[in-house]
Amino acid sequence: MLVDSHCHLDYLARDGDLADVLTRARNAGVSPMLTISTKLREFDQVRAIAEAEPDVFCSVGAHPHEAGTEPDTTTAQLVELAAHPKAIGIGETGLDYFYEHSPRQVQRDVFRAHIGAARETGLPLIVHTRDAEDDTIAIVEEEMGKGAWPGLIHCFSGSQRLADRMLAAGLYISISGIVTFRKAEELRDVVRSVPLERLLVETDSPYLAPVPKRGKRNEPAFTAHTAAAVAELKGISPEALADATTANFRRLFAKAEF
C-alpha cells in the first residue's frame, strides 16, 4: 500500500476521467489519497470527491496564491469546515514568494490563520513554501512557541537548512516527483538525511509528474515512481518504503480511517 499524501483530484476531475484516474491508482497499489483544498470558495467540490470515494480524504484551506482573493480567511472558518468527517488536514497554506500572486503580508496573515486552525483542531497543517525559507522558518518556529501543532512541508524542494529546522520543529517532509528530476541532486541529498519515520510521498498531481512520466499529466498512480526513487535513496526496498510512509501518514493524519 502507498498513500498519495497530496493530490488535486478536483483539478483532475476537470478532464472528465476521474473514475479512470482512481482505478489506475488503486491498481497501482495507491490508496488512500488525500485531495487538497486550494480555494475555500471551491471547497465544496473537493469535499464532494472525498464524500463519494471511501479511500479519498480531503483538506480544507487556501493556497498562498489565493490568499489575496481570500484574505479574510479565519481560524474559526477553517475549524468549522474541518469538522467534516472526511476533512483530515488544514491547508494547503504557506508562503510563495516565487510567483507572488498574493501580497506577502496577506500570505503571512492567512498562513497564521491556518496555523491557528491546526493548533485548535489537532489536524496537521499542509505547508507550501517556495522562495520563502526565512519567513517560513520564522513563522513556524514563532507559532510553535505559542503551542505545538502537527504538520508537514509538502512537495519539499528546499535546502538542507529548511529541512533541518522543520524537522526540529516537529514537522514531516513530503517528497514529490521532483526527486526524480535530473537536476535535483541537492534534494536527493536532503532525502538521504531525513529520518525514514518523518517521510511521506505525494504526487501534487496534476503537476510534477516523476520520471519516467515527466511531461505527462501527473496522477496518483505515479506515486509508485516517486516512492521507488525515495526507497533507492534510503537504501531500502520499495515495500519497506511503502510500509514506512503509510505508517507515517496514519500517525500524522490520525483522523483518517482506513
Side-chain angles (χ1 to χ4, degrees):
M1 178 191 293
L2 277 168
V3 179
D4 184 353
S5 67
H6 192 112
C7 56
H8 298 279
L9 296 181
D10 55 324
Y11 295 2
L12 290 164
R14 296 168 190 171
D15 292 339
D17 64 340
L18 182 58
D20 291 338
V21 165
L22 295 174
T23 296
R24 286 192 291 271
R26 293 161 184 152
N27 288 343
V30 180
S31 172
M33 293 156 265
L34 175 53
T35 187
I36 303 295
S37 168
T38 58
K39 308 176 187 71
L40 288 182
R41 61 186 179 275
E42 296 180 4
F43 175 65
D44 287 355
Q45 300 167 35
V46 176
R47 181 176 57 199
I49 293 171
E51 288 174 334
E53 304 292 339
D55 59 348
V56 175
F57 301 95
C58 67
S59 68
V60 54
H63 192 286
H65 289 342
E66 305 300 327
T69 59
E70 299 186 345
D72 297 326
T73 299
T74 66
T75 293
Q77 180 184 21
L78 293 163
V79 168
E80 180 180 2
L81 293 172
H84 190 278
K86 277 301 193 80
I88 63 169
I90 305 294
E92 69 184 281
T93 183
L95 305 173
D96 193 313
Y97 295 171
F98 181 81
Y99 287 110
E100 295 201 86
H101 290 328
S102 299
R104 291 186 179 189
Q105 186 57 52
V106 175
Q107 291 187 49
R108 291 189 286 264
D109 292 343
V110 173
F111 187 20
R112 290 182 189 274
H114 284 74
I115 290 171
R119 184 184 294 116
E120 184 169 336
T121 62
L123 299 178
L125 189 75
I126 300 153
V127 179
H128 169 113
T129 179
R130 189 172 185 189
D131 280 16
E133 289 196 1
D134 288 347
D135 280 1
T136 298
I137 290 169
I139 290 174
V140 167
E141 292 181 346
E142 178 187 339
E143 291 289 342
M144 282 291 181
K146 300 176 184 177
W149 39 274
L152 68 134
I153 304 295
H154 108 88
C155 192
F156 189 92
S157 60
S159 68
Q160 186 70 58
R161 169 177 172 262
L162 179 65
D164 291 345
R165 297 285 283 270
M166 296 299 95
L167 289 167
L171 274 62
Y172 287 62
I173 303 292
S174 184
I175 305 301
S176 73
I178 294 174
V179 76
T180 69
F181 295 178
R182 181 173 59 85
K183 295 183 179 180
E185 193 55 47
E186 181 180 356
L187 174 59
R188 287 188 280 274
D189 286 341
V190 171
V191 172
R192 292 184 184 100
S193 77
V194 175
L196 182 60
E197 64 270 18
R198 301 284 282 282
L199 276 173
L200 298 173
V201 288
E202 64 172 86
T203 58
D204 202 14
S205 51
Y207 311 110
L208 302 172
V211 175
K213 302 293 186 179
R214 193 170 184 190
K216 301 181 182 297
R217 182 193 69 170
N218 203 2
E219 58 180 70
F222 299 167
T223 308
H225 298 292
T226 297
V230 173
E232 183 176 0
L233 291 169
K234 302 302 287 183
I236 61 177
S237 70
E239 293 78 14
L241 190 283
D243 288 346
T245 54
T246 298
N248 296 344
F249 184 89
R250 287 183 185 274
R251 186 166 58 250
L252 181 60
F253 291 94
K255 184 178 174 182
E257 296 183 0
F258 66 97

